[in-house]
Amino acid sequence: KSPTLQKVLTSLRSKDMTPSEQIKAIRASTGLSQKKFAEKTGVSARTILSWETGNRTPPSYVIPLLKLAVRALDGIDKDPS
């Protein structure tokens, strides 16, 4: 089972996490594959893979934007009833 959004966002406040760990945690919180996460966020799957493996470092604005995107996805994907 994937971690809850709140737990992930709380853990991301830790300065000990690398950008690749943060990206992976954000994606894991959605329960989506790299391909589906890429489609939902408008980033290529290859880029997600490169960020998660640490082969490339995302620009500084990416992690805050992904956090916002996940919050939006979290709200959209839930049944309001």
Side-chain angles (χ1 to χ4, degrees):
K1 187 176 181 180
S2 60
T4 65
L5 176 61
Q6 188 59 41
K7 285 182 183 177
V8 169
L9 294 176
T10 300
S11 72
L12 291 176
R13 292 187 188 112
S14 168
K15 301 293 184 202
D16 297 334
M17 290 183 81
T18 66
S20 62
E21 292 169 329
Q22 291 180 35
I23 299 279
K24 190 176 272 189
I26 291 168
R27 182 181 59 79
S29 74
T30 67
L32 297 173
S33 67
Q34 288 177 338
K35 182 179 178 181
K36 291 289 184 187
F37 187 71
E39 290 171 5
K40 295 263 188 189
T41 58
V43 177
S44 75
R46 176 172 273 166
T47 297
I48 297 291
L49 174 64
S50 294
W51 289 342
E52 286 189 5
T53 58
N55 290 332
R56 289 180 47 201
T57 302
S60 60
Y61 61 83
V62 166
I63 292 173
L65 285 177
L66 287 178
K67 289 178 189 178
L68 289 172
V70 168
R71 284 185 180 138
L73 289 172
D74 189 54
I76 291 169
D77 292 341
K78 290 204 171 152
D79 184 359
S81 56

